[in-house]
């Protein structure tokens, strides 16, 4: 049996998938509601754009999608935290997100989108130059972008953990958003091999779900949130900031009939 304090990707995946499976009904409901809300926001965007013009329509559509994405991402992270930390988890957690967390979630989403846009633009720019030096620069930018994407997977569970007081903070009621980015980078640097392999595993698990369509609607959002939360908790266990797991096998109760000893009195 492996040491729970050691970081191993297969152990993180096993714990995360097991926790998600134990709450399969909640996971499916959360994933379906996430896709449905994003679809409604997209449909509303299409209806509004012809009536408002392209500029106002784009701004309105972005606001709708950003609001829906912020609410769903924060709700998934909040619920996944409860699942991974073995707290009471139900569908109400998807909407009972602290207001302070929602405010920080909107800023977090905007920063993540800008970081990803900068990464894609940088890779595209250098590859278009068609020179050896530019290609080398493009590869460097690509790896920096991949590191940013892995840190993004850590950001949401770190935000949820901070608002649930799972991470010590100088201001327990108002955790710092800067600490979310700092802690995400710290976890990445502390275990780069684990983080890279976890990121690749996350993409490998999600790719067939997304391509299937039904897997995207019923599993991918909540499964990703739970696995990311599990990875952050495994980091915290390794750092001594969370309780270790009790992974001893459960011994089944075995009923035995004691043999009747000669000379023993019959209770009847």
């Amino acid at each position: 049996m492996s040491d729970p304090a050691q970081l191993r990707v297969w152990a993180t995946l096993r714990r995360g998938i097991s926790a998600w499976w134990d709450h399969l009904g909640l996971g499916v409901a959360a994933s379906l509601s996430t896709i449905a809300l994003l679809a409604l926001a997209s449909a509303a965007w299409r209806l509004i754009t012809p009536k408002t013009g392209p500029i106002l329509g784009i701004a309105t559509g972005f606001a709708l999608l950003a609001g829906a994405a912020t609410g769903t991402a924060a709700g998934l992270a909040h619920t996944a935290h409860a699942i991974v930390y073995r707290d009471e988890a139900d569908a109400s957690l998807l909407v009972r997100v602290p207001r302070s967390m929602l405010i920080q979630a909107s800023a977090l989403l905007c920063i993540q989108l800008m970081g990803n846009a900068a990464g894609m633009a940088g890779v595209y720019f250098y590859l278009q130059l068609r020179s050896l030096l530019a290609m080398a620069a493009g590869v460097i930018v690509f790896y920096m972008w991949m590191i940013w994407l892995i840190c993004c997977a850590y950001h949401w569970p770190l935000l949820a953990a901070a608002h649930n007081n799972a991470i010590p903070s100088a201001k327990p009621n108002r955790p710092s958003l800067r600490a979310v980015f700092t802690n995400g980078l710290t976890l990445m640097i502390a275990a780069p091999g684990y983080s890279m392999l976890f990121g690749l595993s996350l993409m490998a698990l999600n790719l067939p779900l997304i391509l299937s369509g039904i897997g995207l609607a019923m599993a991918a959002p909540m499964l990703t949130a739970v696995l990311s939360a599990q990875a952050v908790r495994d980091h915290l266990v390794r750092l001594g900031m969370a309780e270790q797991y009790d992974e001893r096998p459960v011994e089944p109760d075995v009923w035995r009939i004691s043999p009747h000893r000669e000379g023993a009195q019959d209770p009847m």
Side-chain angles (χ1 to χ4, degrees):
M1 184 178 298
S2 62
D3 183 0
Q6 295 297 321
L7 280 176
R8 291 182 175 85
V9 172
W10 69 266
T12 296
L13 296 177
R14 174 175 57 81
R15 295 183 187 118
I17 293 174
S18 177
W20 171 76
W21 184 259
D22 289 341
H23 299 80
L24 182 60
L26 174 59
V28 171
S31 297
L32 286 174
S33 61
T34 296
I35 300 301
L37 185 59
L38 293 176
L40 286 174
S42 179
W45 184 6
R46 294 182 180 182
L47 290 175
I48 291 173
T49 301
K51 300 178 181 179
T52 59
I55 298 178
L56 184 58
I58 291 175
T60 304
F62 179 80
L64 285 172
L65 286 175
T70 297
T72 55
L76 289 173
H78 189 51
T79 307
H81 177 87
I83 290 175
V84 168
Y85 281 78
R86 277 64 172 177
D87 296 332
E88 293 185 8
D90 54 55
S92 65
L93 291 177
L94 293 168
V95 295
R96 286 195 298 109
V97 181
R99 181 178 300 178
S100 58
M101 181 177 172
L102 281 175
I103 295 173
Q104 290 186 327
S106 61
L108 174 59
L109 180 64
C110 289
I111 294 172
Q112 286 186 337
L113 289 176
M114 288 189 294
N116 287 320
M120 288 187 289
V123 172
Y124 178 79
F125 171 78
Y126 284 112
L127 292 182
Q128 290 299 307
L129 297 180
R130 305 288 180 88
S131 68
L132 186 61
L133 185 61
M135 289 184 65
V139 170
I140 294 174
V141 173
F142 175 77
Y143 280 111
M144 293 177 64
W145 181 31
M146 291 298 102
I147 291 173
W148 170 252
L149 284 175
I150 295 172
C151 289
C152 287
Y154 289 153
H155 291 159
W156 291 99
L158 283 170
L159 181 66
H163 280 272
N164 284 277
N165 298 322
I167 298 178
S169 174
K171 298 179 179 179
N173 297 327
R174 293 187 62 185
S176 170
L177 185 60
R178 180 184 298 178
V180 171
F181 293 103
T182 302
N183 291 337
L185 184 60
T186 299
L187 296 184
M188 174 68 196
I189 295 175
Y194 168 89
S195 298
M196 293 295 290
L197 186 56
F198 173 74
L200 291 174
S201 301
L202 206 58
M203 288 188 288
L205 283 173
N206 275 302
L207 184 60
L209 295 175
I210 294 173
L211 293 178
S212 68
I214 189 171
L216 170 63
M218 299 184 67
M222 194 65 203
L223 179 59
T224 301
V226 171
L227 289 176
S228 299
Q230 187 65 61
V232 167
R233 190 186 177 191
D234 286 354
H235 274 288
L236 297 181
V237 169
R238 176 173 176 264
L239 296 173
M241 298 174 64
E243 295 182 359
Q244 291 194 11
Y245 305 99
D246 184 6
E247 295 187 330
R248 293 173 298 177
V250 178
E251 297 182 0
D253 293 332
V254 179
W255 293 84
R256 296 184 178 89
I257 300 177
S258 301
H260 183 74
R261 292 179 298 174
E262 187 178 352
Q265 293 184 351
D266 193 338
M268 297 299 295

